Amino acid sequence: MGLCRLAAFAAAAPLVLLGFCANASASDACPTDANLPTAVAAADVATALVCDINAVRTQQGLRPLNWDTRLSSAAAWMANDMAARHYVAHVTPDGVDLAGRVGPTGYIPADAPWSLAENLGWGTGVLSTPQAIVAGWMTSAPHRANILDPDLEDIGVGIAQGAISDGGETGTIYIADFGVRGTPASAAAPVVHSRAARHRHRRSVRRHHARHAHRARRG
């Protein structure tokens, strides 16, 4: 996955990581995951991202996630909104949170437990590939917990090109929305895992990675 040299320091808001990462080659399981998202169709980038996530889950003995068009719709809306209004957060400037975005798609059941989780990512250059985004998420505890949550069963991905601050550099925005409707299949064999909702950023002088993780649930 490449080598990174990182130095952490406390910033005004989240933890910020500065460093440079070596360019990574495509993985065997997902041969298109090192393609620059600016050079291929967004659908192909999303497919590669899910492939990488499921490869990680399979390596940990977890079931792969199923693609869900409702979660994908919510994720795509959020990615485009962040690109249009130049921000990075799990709640829109209008106050719409993860459940508020997923609810209108029909994914959240009215009479059964449900759980949602979300990873946000942004990068430029070699740090904008699906492989680099997933590798970055796996180095962050809350993002890793979402990816490896045995209860989650579905995933949808949204991708857009844009800046996450006014006047900032244009990069690739990734939104991965995870979910489960009803009692998860893993409930028969519970696994202890983190449900922390924290925020982390990663940034380099010439290329950037920004990551956020979030969770919402009922039942």
Side-chain angles (χ1 to χ4, degrees):
M1 292 288 187
L3 299 176
C4 299
R5 296 183 182 222
L6 302 174
F9 64 93
L15 179 74
V16 176
L17 301 179
L18 297 186
F20 293 95
C21 292
N23 192 5
S25 59
S27 64
D28 293 336
C30 310
T32 63
D33 63 356
N35 290 345
L36 292 177
T38 54
V40 295
D44 294 333
V45 180
T47 297
L49 187 84
V50 175
C51 180
D52 276 336
I53 289 173
N54 280 336
V56 170
R57 287 177 62 90
T58 300
Q59 290 168 4
Q60 298 296 319
L62 300 173
R63 292 178 302 278
L65 300 171
N66 302 308
W67 179 266
D68 189 280
T69 56
R70 294 161 296 187
L71 291 177
S72 177
S73 175
W77 185 92
M78 187 60 167
N80 288 326
D81 193 60
M82 282 174 50
R85 296 201 275 179
H86 311 302
Y87 69 96
V88 54
H90 293 287
V91 180
T92 72
D94 307 321
V96 182
D97 62 9
L98 174 58
R101 288 182 276 110
V102 174
T105 70
Y107 181 84
I108 296 176
D111 55 356
W114 54 269
S115 182
L116 298 171
E118 181 172 76
N119 281 3
L120 307 185
W122 179 84
T124 63
V126 295
L127 293 185
S128 69
T129 67
Q131 185 187 52
I133 292 294
V134 173
W137 283 342
M138 289 301 291
T139 66
S140 167
H143 302 84
R144 180 185 178 91
N146 286 345
I147 290 174
L148 298 182
D149 189 332
D151 289 348
L152 297 175
E153 297 177 354
D154 306 315
I155 188 172
V157 174
I159 296 170
Q161 297 296 319
I164 55 176
S165 62
D166 289 333
E169 184 177 3
T170 296
T172 303
I173 297 167
Y174 287 82
I175 311 291
D177 284 347
F178 307 85
V180 59
R181 293 161 45 89
T183 303
S186 63
V191 177
V192 177
H193 58 280
S194 170
R195 290 189 178 277
R198 292 184 290 162
H199 300 282
R200 296 219 172 174
H201 287 260
R202 175 189 204 165
R203 189 171 187 173
S204 71
V205 174
R206 303 165 90 182
R207 302 185 180 94
H208 307 270
H209 234 189
R211 311 187 299 270
H212 287 260
H214 180 67
R215 303 184 68 84
R217 65 178 308 196
R218 187 190 73 186

